[in-house]
Amino acid sequence: MPFLREKGIHLYLKREDTIHPFISGNKYRKLKYNLLEAKKQGKETLLTFGGAFSNHIAAAAYAGHEQGIKTIGVIRGEELSNKWQDNPTLQLAHEHGMQFHFVSRSAYRLKNEPSFIQKLKEKFGDFYLLPEGGTNALAVKGCAEILTDADAQFDYICSAVGTGGTVAGLINASLPYQTVLGFPALKGDFLSEEICTFVHNDRWKLVTDYHFGGYAKVDQQLIEFINLFRGETGIPLDPIYTGKMLFGIFDLIKQDVFEPGTQILAIHTGGLQGIKGMNLVLKKKNLPLLDV
């Protein structure tokens, strides 16, 4: 884009969204070592958590299908139990064999409590437990593999942040002269403490100004940016994570936050399956639709 040349900034996008047709981006990385561990433990079932449009739910379902592991999705929102067929993400997960367990939002908040997990074990039997968003130490290990020797030229590594696993992996894999910037999709700075439990250095920062009101919240300005970006580059962006991150990077560049000559690597973490679901929401709100 012309203004990048005017500012003297070099921005590159690493297309993690293209590494697998269904388990794309960071979800592939997060699941890699967890699936190996599940098989090592002899587990035949994987249970995890997510919302109605969760990229993680869709990816876990396909990965289980591919690896011959049964999958159970604990889904936030019991009102979905009678209308999940209208949800593109849940349809995709169901097609790949995932069994759903719908719970109320209040119950969902207890998902990390031992008593809640015990009730799930009583209902479903033995399973390999994967947290919401797939973030744990094995997921962080997988996400560290996003960066390779070819990325040594960059001054900044940028990633969207959901549960913190992806950016933690990038922080651990970054070189001493590189800074990692995380762009949370959720409102607030509460993820810093979670990220600190996984990382080994302090060369990182969360940029908390580009959540657009909170998780899964979008507005016309963001939609127009995503559609313009696709029109000029041919690259689709999801509106929950990568779209917000790139909007933020462009805004920081316009504010001259980066010195001329700075080389920035932004990670495209996938999530494109969620566009269909988001367009259903946008249509109800009479907002412009995302290009598909």
Side-chain angles (χ1 to χ4, degrees):
M1 294 184 174
F3 83 92
L4 293 175
R5 290 192 293 272
E6 294 169 6
K7 297 287 187 178
I9 303 297
H10 306 279
L11 174 62
Y12 298 82
L13 188 63
K14 190 160 195 172
R15 297 290 306 276
E16 286 284 291
D17 60 304
T18 63
I19 62 178
H20 190 284
F22 291 102
I23 321 169
S24 71
N26 61 340
K27 301 309 177 189
Y28 179 94
R29 305 290 186 177
K30 288 181 174 183
L31 286 163
K32 177 181 175 180
Y33 290 110
N34 274 292
L35 288 170
L36 290 173
E37 180 63 21
K39 288 191 171 184
K40 180 181 177 182
Q41 293 182 16
K43 304 288 187 181
E44 297 181 352
T45 301
L46 180 149
L47 181 143
T48 193
F49 306 85
F53 298 104
S54 168
N55 297 321
H56 170 65
I57 287 293
Y62 191 88
H65 168 76
E66 194 172 66
Q67 296 295 319
I69 296 176
K70 180 182 176 182
T71 56
I72 299 169
V74 179
I75 309 299
R76 181 180 63 247
E78 57 188 350
E79 74 278 1
L80 294 166
S81 61
N82 295 320
K83 55 182 180 180
W84 64 262
Q85 295 91 341
D86 300 326
N87 180 294
T89 298
L90 297 182
Q91 274 188 341
L92 181 65
H94 175 75
E95 287 171 8
H96 293 121
M98 179 171 276
Q99 178 183 349
F100 300 133
H101 177 56
F102 296 95
V103 299
S104 68
R105 282 163 172 74
S106 58
Y108 191 84
R109 285 193 286 271
L110 303 175
K111 62 186 177 295
N112 297 322
E113 296 294 326
S115 58
F116 185 76
I117 301 301
Q118 181 58 38
K119 289 180 180 178
L120 292 173
K121 288 181 178 179
E122 291 171 3
K123 182 176 180 63
F124 296 110
D126 188 35
F127 53 74
Y128 183 85
L129 179 66
L130 195 56
E132 181 182 41
T135 290
N136 58 15
L138 291 175
V140 173
K141 177 183 177 181
C143 288
E145 296 178 353
I146 292 173
L147 294 182
T148 68
D149 292 342
D151 302 319
Q153 71 188 76
F154 296 103
D155 305 299
Y156 287 89
I157 312 296
C158 298
S159 173
V161 180
T163 53
T166 302
V167 76
L170 295 170
I171 292 165
N172 289 339
S174 65
L175 297 170
Y177 53 84
Q178 294 176 322
T179 300
V180 177
L181 298 180
F183 293 76
L186 292 81
K187 197 173 184 178
D189 193 27
F190 61 92
L191 284 166
S192 293
E193 186 175 343
E194 176 74 10
I195 293 168
C196 283
T197 64
F198 293 112
V199 301
H200 314 310
N201 67 68
D202 59 0
R203 302 184 304 272
W204 59 280
K205 176 184 177 183
L206 293 185
V207 183
T208 59
D209 301 324
Y210 300 100
H211 52 72
F212 285 82
Y215 182 72
K217 300 286 183 64
V218 301
D219 63 15
Q220 186 164 336
Q221 184 183 29
L222 179 63
I223 298 164
E224 290 175 352
F225 168 80
I226 291 172
N227 286 341
L228 177 64
F229 186 89
R230 181 166 188 170
E232 294 194 7
T233 66
I235 301 172
L237 305 175
D238 85 285
I240 309 300
Y241 296 106
T242 305
K244 291 182 178 181
M245 173 197 66
L246 277 171
F247 183 98
I249 293 171
F250 279 35
D251 192 51
L252 294 177
I253 291 171
K254 291 173 183 176
Q255 295 179 44
D256 295 319
V257 169
F258 303 106
E259 295 289 331
T262 296
Q263 299 210 59
I264 303 170
L265 178 66
I267 310 299
H268 193 318
T269 51
L272 300 178
Q273 66 83 26
I275 290 177
K276 288 182 180 179
M278 179 56 73
N279 274 342
L280 293 176
V281 175
L282 295 174
K283 190 173 183 180
K284 290 179 181 178
K285 294 183 177 181
N286 293 317
L287 287 170
L289 302 184
L290 294 156
D291 293 339
V292 294

